[in-house]
Amino acid sequence: MPASMTLPDLASATANSGVRSSALANWQATGWPGPRVESWRFTKLALLEGKTFAPAHDFADQPAGAGMDAAESIGAHVLRFVNGVVDPSDIENAPEGVNISALAADEDAMSHLRQMVPPAHPVSDLSLAVMSAGIIIDIKGRVDMPLMLSFEGDGATTSAHPVVFVRLFEGSYLQLAEWHASTAGLSAPLTGIDIAAGARLEQVKVQTDGQATTHLAATGVTLGAGASIDGFSLSTGGRLARLETHVCFAGEGADCNLSAIYMGRGEQHQDITTYMDHAVPNCTSNQIIRGVLDDRSRGVYQGRVHVAPDAQKTDGQQMARALLLSRKAEVDAKPELEIYADDVVCAHGATVGELDATQLFYLTSRGIPKDVARAMLIEAFLIDTIETISNETLAAILRPVAQAWMAEQETL
Amino acid sequence: MTALLEIRDLHASVGDKPILKGISLTINPGEVHAIMGPNGSGKSTMSYVLAGRDGYEVTGGDILMNGVSMLEMEPDERARAGMFLAFQYPVELPGVGGMSFLRAAVNARHIEAGEDEVDQLGFVKLVRGKARDLGIDDAMLKRAVNVGFSGGEKKRYEILQMALLEPTMAVLDETDSGLDVDALRIVSEGVNLLRDPGRSMLVITHYQRLLDHIVPDYVHILAGGKIRKSGSKELALEVEESGYAGIDDAA
Ligand SMILES: Nc1ncnc2c1ncn2[C@@H]1O[C@H](COP(=O)(O)OP(=O)(O)O)[C@@H](O)[C@H]1O
Ligand SMILES: [Mg+2]
């Protein structure tokens, strides 16, 4: 595939009469969500207002980032993005069962993607229009080699708009890792994940973007009959980060585990927003969210579970817990159930707490220094979430990131 | 000879409420002292003050270990200096694996002493050996700290920690409570094994029966935040017969 096919630019969106030009028109009409938009009430994008970003359109090589090391440690095939532009050499030599093609050339695929991703989300429009890179990853059969999407880049006024559409064909299986370690001003990845009947995806996302980066990720997932996804995000990076995921249950018997850990310190703002659209009967969704917030950082969890009138026997669970390490840290948790069917099992909950002083005393009374004791208790708070990751290979790249965050704890 | 622990006219408050009202006590190396007293007399408060717990404010007096005041030391510093408290109510730590907890505690000492960290395999062997003596099985060692332990198991686990940490000053707060006769015997044997000319103990109990097993050199009666009476081990028997009623705590 010629590299130029993966590098469409804004001009082509403007010239085009198709999906991207309509996305562009939408973006131009709405822009960043204002303070009165309900779903952005807890996460304000004021720091983006009036800022001009220049999207990158050419691949510029850089020294390899941490995502590349993580990929190597688990023997993954890597697709490397620098400022949202994919390394053309990585789209060659895809492993058996993986086929990569250009998204911009496929109007039907773009239109399908657009229906899946979060509607009325600025990135759903903006990144589709700009599309620093647009690729389709088709999966057939069981792919044993994990796939790593590594996102790097830099430049305070650079924005990255990678668009990735992963399509798992019937009965296929994939392990997908996503690693963000960019210091660009804006990371705005748009992702569609279409999991056909009986297919299964195991996925982790590590978000470690720079302390000045705004990371806005919009992801749409569709699950066919009997399909399943085990997804896990760990978000520690960015000045402001919002990971928004919409899941649509399109076929019966589908199963979705979508858990996340967010960690903030300094002035960071971490947002996890999810929407589970139980449109059909007999599906399960389970979300475990854990947040750790230090200093003046803020956390947001918005989780909405929608159960349509026909979606009987839905099992929808969401449990969010946050641990505040400082009196100035704050969290807004808003788990919501919208249930229109009568025969369902749904539960939600949200708790906020601090490190337990008695537990800390017990540990320190054994000679364990206070900072080590705190790290042990934070890890204990996160551990059962990390243990929900069924895939040990993927869990292995995630644990060190959480541990590194705790190791950076200032000694009190 | 410098006393291992010297408590000088100690006054302490919890949330502005005075609890300890002038305690003086000298414990020499190798001695075992018992503190007896009615519920609410301040026994646990004293143990927490010795260990340095936040919120237990010393308002007067001093605590010296080997001649050095401990008042400005954090709980972890006191522990590494040789202080150990077996809790009356050991604390559950969900998500904290038992082995990594024990290793962190032992390693903290090694690191401070500038020694190598403990070798993992050797450590597991060491823990298993000491655990077996206390009737602690492998399954219990693998669980999260104190989570799902019975009352007796928690007490045994406290003594296991003491055996691993080899403190010079061990404070045992009602280690006998919640133990049946057999468990009491096992725990007491564990404690007696640790009696050593270089190690002192302060054994806090409400009942005399523990002192049949861990025989003290001295017995003190605490009531109303003060030591009312001190004597030899026979004092414990006296209290057992006449109860605490005879101890004047109006003073
Ligand atoms: N955290 C606390 N806050 C307020 N009062 C306390 C606290 N802990 C203990 N006390 C009070 O201190 C006194 C002594 O308690 P404690 O030391 O637990 O006695 P003992 O161990 O001898 O039964 C009691 O009157 C108790 O109510
Ligand atoms: Mg007590």
Side-chain angles (χ1 to χ4, degrees):
Chain A
M1 179 171 58
S4 61
M5 286 173 64
T6 62
L7 306 174
D9 58 19
L10 210 49
S12 72
T14 324
N16 198 312
S17 61
V19 175
R20 289 179 59 216
S21 70
S22 129
L24 182 64
N26 240 1
W27 157 254
Q28 284 165 339
T30 49
W32 300 118
R36 282 177 305 283
V37 178
E38 177 59 25
S39 62
W40 292 85
R41 192 153 70 88
F42 299 121
T43 297
K44 306 261 191 271
L45 295 181
L47 72 152
L48 292 179
E49 288 293 346
K51 269 203 186 154
T52 324
F53 293 106
H57 282 293
D58 295 308
F59 183 77
D61 207 359
Q62 287 194 336
M68 304 297 285
D69 298 338
E72 199 181 326
S73 74
I74 58 168
H77 178 78
V78 187
L79 292 179
R80 184 162 173 243
F81 297 76
V82 174
N83 284 328
V85 183
V86 70
D87 183 340
S89 63
D90 287 342
I91 32 192
E92 319 291 339
N93 313 317
E96 173 102 32
V98 179
N99 186 63
I100 300 172
S101 57
L103 178 60
D106 190 336
E107 201 56 32
D108 287 346
M110 285 194 291
S111 145
H112 182 193
L113 173 71
R114 191 150 192 234
Q115 283 155 25
M116 292 171 57
V117 295
H121 189 296
V123 167
S124 296
D125 290 324
L126 178 61
S127 288
L128 190 58
V130 177
M131 222 191 264
S132 327
I135 58 170
I136 300 173
I137 303 175
D138 285 329
I139 306 300
K140 287 187 178 142
R142 184 185 170 89
V143 178
D144 284 316
M145 182 182 274
L147 213 56
M148 165 69 86
L149 310 178
S150 179
F151 298 89
E152 302 157 32
D154 54 18
T157 58
T158 305
S159 62
H161 303 270
V163 183
V164 177
F165 192 7
V166 184
R167 302 189 298 201
L168 282 88
F169 284 61
E170 253 185 67
S172 64
Y173 167 77
L174 177 69
Q175 304 162 77
L176 181 67
E178 208 184 303
W179 194 292
H180 295 264
S182 167
T183 57
L186 175 65
S187 288
L190 179 65
T191 311
I193 300 176
D194 185 21
I195 309 177
R200 171 166 175 75
L201 177 67
E202 295 182 308
Q203 180 216 16
V204 295
K205 167 169 176 165
V206 173
Q207 192 282 108
T208 58
D209 277 350
Q211 292 294 311
T213 299
T214 297
H215 182 101
L216 296 177
T219 303
V221 178
T222 303
L223 291 158
S228 69
I229 177 171
D230 274 350
F232 197 101
S233 299
L234 173 60
S235 184
T236 66
R239 167 67 182 74
L240 180 152
R242 170 155 162 151
L243 278 51
E244 179 159 346
T245 306
H246 287 213
V247 178
C248 179
F249 294 84
E252 290 192 38
D255 181 28
C256 172
N257 288 299
L258 210 61
S259 294
I261 290 175
Y262 61 86
M263 305 173 95
R265 59 163 58 103
E267 304 273 349
Q268 277 181 301
H269 181 107
Q270 294 283 356
D271 176 334
I272 303 287
T273 293
T274 63
Y275 178 56
M276 294 283 165
D277 183 5
H278 282 276
V280 299
N282 291 312
C283 294
T284 59
S285 65
N286 187 25
Q287 303 175 66
I288 301 173
I289 312 294
R290 294 280 186 278
V292 177
L293 297 167
D294 203 351
D295 304 327
R296 288 168 310 286
S297 63
R298 292 194 58 153
V300 174
Y301 168 64
Q302 305 186 96
R304 196 144 58 94
V305 175
H306 176 93
V307 182
D310 291 341
Q312 303 296 359
K313 307 283 180 197
T314 290
D315 183 342
Q317 309 287 330
Q318 44 178 343
M319 186 64 213
R321 290 173 60 195
L323 185 62
L324 304 183
L325 301 180
S326 135
R327 291 191 189 282
K328 296 211 168 106
E330 277 180 64
V331 64
D332 291 298
K334 195 173 147 203
E336 281 181 284
L337 293 173
E338 295 173 343
I339 303 177
Y340 299 99
D342 47 28
D343 185 13
V344 301
V345 188
C346 288
H348 67 181
T351 65
V352 180
E354 297 169 10
L355 283 179
D356 185 286
T358 306
Q359 294 182 337
L360 265 180
F361 172 58
Y362 191 68
L363 287 166
T364 53
S365 78
R366 270 49 184 148
I368 299 170
K370 196 166 181 183
D371 56 337
V372 177
R374 283 166 60 97
M376 287 172 78
L377 292 179
I378 298 166
E379 188 167 355
F381 171 77
L382 300 175
I383 201 96
D384 58 339
T385 321
I386 293 180
E387 273 164 11
T388 62
I389 302 174
S390 51
N391 185 308
E392 187 45 43
T393 306
L394 297 179
I397 61 171
L398 219 133
R399 267 191 217 103
V401 181
Q403 277 155 357
W405 189 92
M406 290 181 282
E408 283 169 32
Q409 285 263 100
E410 276 177 78
T411 309
L412 293 178
Chain B
M1 174 170 68
T2 316
L4 209 157
L5 185 74
E6 190 183 349
I7 302 173
R8 284 188 193 153
D9 193 28
L10 184 67
H11 289 70
S13 294
V14 183
D16 288 339
K17 182 179 164 193
I19 310 284
L20 304 184
K21 301 169 182 167
I23 291 181
S24 294
L25 189 63
T26 300
I27 303 180
N28 290 311
E31 291 178 355
V32 173
H33 290 233
I35 297 244
M36 297 183 72
N39 283 327
S41 58
K43 303 185 297 296
S44 291
T45 301
M46 182 171 157
S47 74
Y48 291 143
V49 169
L50 290 173
R53 184 172 186 168
D54 264 359
Y56 288 72
E57 197 199 346
V58 174
T59 53
D62 206 351
I63 303 166
L64 302 118
M65 201 155 74
N66 298 310
V68 179
S69 174
M70 292 203 301
L71 292 187
E72 297 302 317
M73 290 164 75
E74 294 292 328
D76 57 308
E77 296 170 310
R78 296 186 194 198
R80 294 195 301 273
M83 172 66 70
F84 179 84
L85 170 60
F87 282 53
Q88 180 175 2
Y89 302 108
V91 180
E92 296 188 6
L93 304 176
V96 177
M99 272 299 179
S100 57
F101 163 69
L102 296 174
R103 206 167 54 236
V106 171
N107 266 334
R109 263 146 243 257
H110 283 236
I111 291 164
E112 179 149 293
E115 295 164 9
D116 287 343
E117 296 196 13
V118 291
D119 142 80
Q120 181 145 350
L121 271 180
F123 185 71
V124 171
K125 263 193 195 153
L126 175 76
V127 172
R128 283 205 181 130
K130 301 212 188 243
R132 208 173 303 121
D133 295 342
L134 289 161
I136 295 172
D137 61 22
D138 281 5
M140 199 175 132
L141 289 175
K142 282 185 187 140
R143 269 187 274 170
V145 176
N146 288 320
V147 176
F149 290 17
S150 70
E153 285 174 335
K154 285 180 181 169
K155 295 304 172 80
R156 278 185 260 169
Y157 198 65
E158 293 293 287
I159 303 308
L160 172 64
Q161 294 169 51
M162 174 173 156
L164 289 167
L165 296 176
E166 302 181 326
T168 49
M169 182 68 233
V171 179
L172 279 59
D173 189 2
E174 298 211 25
T175 296
D176 51 335
S177 66
L179 294 184
D180 61 26
V181 180
D182 285 338
L184 181 65
R185 188 180 43 77
I186 294 170
V187 165
S188 304
E189 277 169 14
V191 172
N192 285 332
L193 274 177
L194 295 168
R195 284 184 83 152
D196 183 281
R199 176 175 299 126
S200 305
M201 297 186 193
L202 186 60
V203 180
I204 295 172
T205 181
H206 185 70
Y207 301 104
Q208 185 271 335
R209 64 168 192 169
L210 175 68
L211 306 181
D212 286 340
H213 295 86
I214 306 172
V215 181
D217 300 304
Y218 301 95
V219 174
H220 312 276
I221 310 297
L222 184 71
K226 276 188 176 179
I227 290 178
R228 307 291 169 175
K229 244 187 188 176
S230 293
S232 64
K233 62 177 190 279
E234 280 72 31
L235 179 57
L237 291 165
E238 248 174 68
V239 170
E240 182 77 351
E241 271 166 34
S242 55
Y244 293 107
I247 313 286
D248 174 25
D249 70 12

